Amino acid sequence: MTRQLDLVNGLLYEVETADGLQPFPIPTRTPRLVLCGQNPGSGQIAGAWWPWTSNLTAQLHDLIAVLTPRTGPIERIAFDWDMLSVNQRRIDNTDGIRFIGPLPGQPAGVMCLIGADRRGTLLVVIPPNTQPQRAYEDMRALVDDGYRVA
């Protein structure tokens, strides 16, 4: 078990990790992310992520760096990956995260980040080419309305 101190948004936090691979350093490009104010219940969306590009794997370390204080270390990410993301993943360094396809019943466009405690954090992925005003409205609606995955 290792301890890592990090400064995020002016706050110092400490996270214990079994492998020393997470949390990742402070994001190089701030993720466009909106989260619910409290931890959602089972099957409820925790937030929405609007990635900068369609290459999701290239942006995941920044996303996970922001989520780690809330979720703890992430072990697996379930999603319907496109070929760009799959090919990028093959050249990334080992980071202790396994990529898997969607879980049974997981809707398209919803990413499930599964932590070491086996709990999942569900994020709706807003397509990167969405117009800014529409993306913001969609993200706020998902969080404010308490969207649940059926």
Side-chain angles (χ1 to χ4, degrees):
M1 192 74 65
T2 62
R3 288 185 167 312
Q4 182 170 339
L5 293 175
D6 218 339
L7 186 67
V8 174
N9 295 331
L11 300 174
L12 187 65
Y13 69 92
E14 183 175 340
V15 177
E16 289 189 10
T17 64
D19 53 18
L21 297 174
Q22 289 183 47
F24 300 116
I26 295 171
T28 56
R29 191 168 191 185
T30 304
R32 300 181 292 191
L33 178 70
V34 176
L35 297 172
C36 295
Q38 56 191 356
N39 290 335
S42 177
Q44 191 170 2
I45 295 295
W49 176 41
W50 181 32
W52 293 97
T53 71
S54 59
N55 185 352
L56 301 183
T57 56
Q59 302 166 80
L60 280 176
H61 284 184
D62 288 348
L63 176 66
I64 292 170
V66 171
L67 289 174
T68 299
R70 181 177 174 144
T71 64
I74 303 295
E75 288 186 344
R76 293 176 290 154
I77 301 177
F79 191 66
D80 188 13
W81 304 101
D82 64 12
M83 285 311 296
L84 177 64
S85 293
V86 169
N87 289 333
Q88 173 68 34
R89 183 65 182 167
R90 291 188 183 131
I91 63 172
D92 283 343
N93 293 328
T94 302
D95 55 16
I97 301 171
R98 281 188 356 184
F99 282 26
I100 59 176
L103 301 171
Q106 183 177 342
V110 174
M111 181 177 283
C112 182
L113 298 97
I114 303 164
D117 61 3
R118 306 292 184 249
R119 289 186 301 160
T121 299
L122 299 174
L123 296 177
V124 171
V125 179
I126 306 295
N129 59 348
T130 304
Q131 292 298 314
Q133 185 62 35
R134 176 60 189 256
Y136 174 78
E137 290 168 0
D138 289 351
M139 293 170 79
R140 289 301 331 165
L142 286 164
V143 171
D144 294 343
D145 295 343
Y147 180 79
R148 294 186 67 80
V149 175

